[in-house]
Amino acid sequence: MTPGWHLRRRKLVSAAMTGACALAVLVALVPLASILVFIVARGLSSLDWDFFTKLPKPTGEAGGGMANAIAGSAKLILLASLVAVPVGVLAGLYVAEYRGRRLASAVRFAADVLNGIPSIVVGIFAYGTVVLPMHRFSAIAGAVALAIMMVPLVARTTEEMVLLVPEMLREGGMALGATRTQVAFSLVLPAALPGILTGVLVAVARIAGETAPLLFTSFNNQFWSSRIDQPTASLTVQIYSYAISPYDDLHRQAWAGALVLVVLILAVSLLARLFTRRLERMAGR
Amino acid sequence: METATMTPSPTTPTHAVSMDARSAPASAPAADAPPLIEIGGFSFWYGPKQALFDIDLRIRERAVTAFIGPSGCGKSTLLRCLNRMNDLIDGVRVEGSVRVQGQDLYGPDVDVVDVRKRLGMVFQKSNPFPKSIFENVVYGLRLQGVKNKGVLRDACEKALRGSALWDEVKDRIEESALSLSGGQMQRLCIARALAVEPEVVLMDEPCSALDPIATAKIEELIFQLKERFTIVIVTHNMQQAARVSDETGFFMLGKLIEFDKTDVIFTRPKQKMTEDYITGRFG
Ligand SMILES: Nc1ncnc2c1ncn2[C@@H]1O[C@H](COP(=O)(O)OP(=O)(O)OP(=O)(O)O)[C@@H](O)[C@H]1O
Ligand SMILES: [Mg+2]
């Protein structure tokens, strides 16, 4: 065999592999692209100004919108984040800064388990602990369910980001007389914050699409709900109830709702990516 | 019993302010002055591995003491023991004592945080905090609860002047510290250590990541600093040790082989091993 033959063979194998990878990427992109095309095709035609500004019409009447559901989703996500972000960040910070301690391992394990619990089970839990005692569906109950799902996501990214903070920084702080906790809050957390914020956005995008935990917590509402202890509409539950209804008009609205939801989630994901890029550039990496 | 040695120290800084009075004796400190740090029978273990063996060493006030020796001989370990940075590592063990003005750093009721305030540290790789230049310098003071903006500003300026960085950054102390050059960052780390007014500044190869010009600046700085502070420096650079230090300790395999005035170590060492190392026959 001549060396030339070897070289040719290697180039051939390399080309074949590159081709196979490209094909795999295409196959992976097909579902995403077709979902987008499908939703846009079905949803765009029923998307008008009313959709964003009007309440749902009584069943049978044409027109109306999902304004209350959009606002409700925003409210639920905001409430959930208000609880889940501080809890998740603190838990992640603790797990990373005090790794090796028994409690830290326990917290980490608990977060992993929580992450694996099906969302419908989380919904049932919130139903049992919030809805039943309060004797009604409410935004609070929905937010609790979403927060429970969000905490492990935020804790995990926080832990990862905190572990990326160089040890030198901690030593520098300690050498000036800072305690471990002071270092964690005054140096490590600010250094990891950009990454944590990206993680929070990703978690928001994740829970924004949840339906199951909201079905029997925040339930649904055909009207505006100004209070957080009232049943509250959300995009996902509204899409679900319209989709299983027998009316064509509601089906069209459901498609429009799905389009709005997907676009919002895409926007948040893009924001997270942009954020990461900006930070990486700032950190000079 | 050591209180007698402690009383003169609070008064000394006032004498030290006049430069001409200091410059002559600083390069050749009086041999009979009591040592500021006294290391006695000191051994150190990383888990089962012993890294330092029975070290006896006296570090004089307002002098520069250099630790030299081949890689892995325990220079950094000893330096980090002087402000108890090694406490951060799991499974370490010490024997013997490190006395600073008579007080044993490893005594039962010693406040580690207080130790680290009194003995500041500058690391091999500069580690500015991802904050503004100003916030970097005053970090230690903020930890101590200083909130008055004016006090912090004055302390910041003083520390930055002390580390010969003021003129270069005075117009942009609110900018990120990460925008500085490597040499400036290292001087910022020195300023950060100086701002809390420590008694001792410990430097672990402070110039090893710097170019010759930045190195020269820091060496010059060390010369000025020893009028106000006691300095212990670890270095791999023989010329640097010879240039900046008053006394030098030569270490090998965790043992202190020889400790003497720097010119003695570099011109007529008593130990064959020291001579071999200095002349570059090994290590
Ligand atoms: N965290 C640690 N855990 C275990 N062993 C360590 C640790 N740090 C240092 N050592 C060991 O202790 C010995 C002394 O290390 P030290 O860092 O003090 O050497 P050094 O003289 O500073 O070397 P260099 O000139 O390369 O910086 C080495 O054998 C090293 O492997
Ligand atoms: Mg070292």
Side-chain angles (χ1 to χ4, degrees), chain A:
Chain A
M1 314 258 151
T2 59
W5 186 84
H6 271 294
L7 196 64
R8 232 179 15 249
R9 199 184 87 118
R10 213 192 294 162
K11 277 188 176 156
L12 257 168
V13 170
S14 169
M17 279 321 213
T18 313
C21 287
L23 201 68
V25 169
L26 270 181
V27 170
L29 282 178
V30 165
L32 176 65
S34 42
I35 289 174
L36 284 180
V37 169
F38 204 66
I39 293 180
V40 170
R42 296 286 193 107
L44 204 56
S45 55
S46 347
L47 210 54
D48 52 15
W49 190 238
D50 280 358
F51 186 86
F52 295 99
T53 55
K54 293 255 163 69
L55 287 176
K57 281 273 163 67
T59 317
E61 274 182 53
M66 284 200 188
N68 62 334
I70 295 171
S73 274
K75 188 197 280 182
L76 287 168
I77 291 170
L78 198 73
L79 280 176
S81 306
L82 235 46
V83 180
V85 171
V87 173
V89 167
L90 287 180
L93 185 65
Y94 180 79
V95 168
E97 285 301 281
Y98 293 93
R99 60 189 172 281
R101 286 202 192 173
R102 197 167 281 166
L103 182 60
S105 314
V107 169
R108 187 173 205 275
F109 181 70
D112 281 349
V113 172
L114 200 56
N115 205 8
I117 291 180
S119 54
I120 188 86
V121 177
V122 174
I124 293 170
F125 173 79
Y127 178 77
T129 53
V130 186
V131 176
L132 288 184
M134 282 175 72
H135 299 297
R136 60 163 169 262
F137 298 112
S138 65
I140 298 175
V144 166
L146 291 184
I148 292 173
M149 302 199 59
M150 212 175 157
V151 164
L153 297 173
V154 174
R156 201 50 195 269
T157 27
T158 303
E159 182 193 348
E160 277 165 20
M161 293 304 138
V162 164
L163 286 177
L164 287 180
V165 174
E167 200 55 36
M168 289 191 321
L169 203 65
R170 298 183 180 85
E171 290 203 331
M174 307 250 201
L176 288 167
T179 62
R180 250 207 133 78
T181 316
Q182 284 172 325
V183 165
F185 282 97
S186 68
L187 296 178
V188 176
L189 196 56
L193 202 57
I196 294 173
L197 287 182
T198 309
V200 166
L201 287 181
V202 171
V204 163
R206 248 300 300 285
I207 60 156
E210 286 292 342
T211 319
L214 299 180
L215 278 176
F216 29 77
T217 52
S218 56
F219 193 59
N220 204 346
N221 196 335
Q222 297 305 105
F223 305 98
W224 292 103
S225 46
S226 53
R227 288 167 43 184
I228 58 173
D229 61 348
Q230 296 289 331
T232 300
S234 57
L235 263 177
T236 48
V237 174
Q238 193 74 305
I239 292 168
Y240 171 75
S241 55
Y242 279 8
I244 58 173
S245 78
Y247 303 101
D248 271 351
D249 197 47
L250 293 189
H251 289 173
R252 276 197 298 279
Q253 290 240 355
W255 281 113
L259 177 60
V260 171
L261 184 65
V262 167
V263 168
L264 283 180
I265 291 176
L266 270 180
V268 173
S269 305
L270 276 177
L271 202 66
R273 273 220 74 86
L274 262 172
F275 218 33
T276 325
R277 289 262 177 78
R278 161 91 40 101
L279 295 167
E280 277 170 357
R281 231 180 304 127
M282 255 165 50
R285 258 174 280 163

Side-chain angles (χ1 to χ4, degrees), chain B residues 76 124 204-205 234:
Chain B
S76 299
Q124 175 169 3
D204 193 350
E205 300 185 45
V234 170

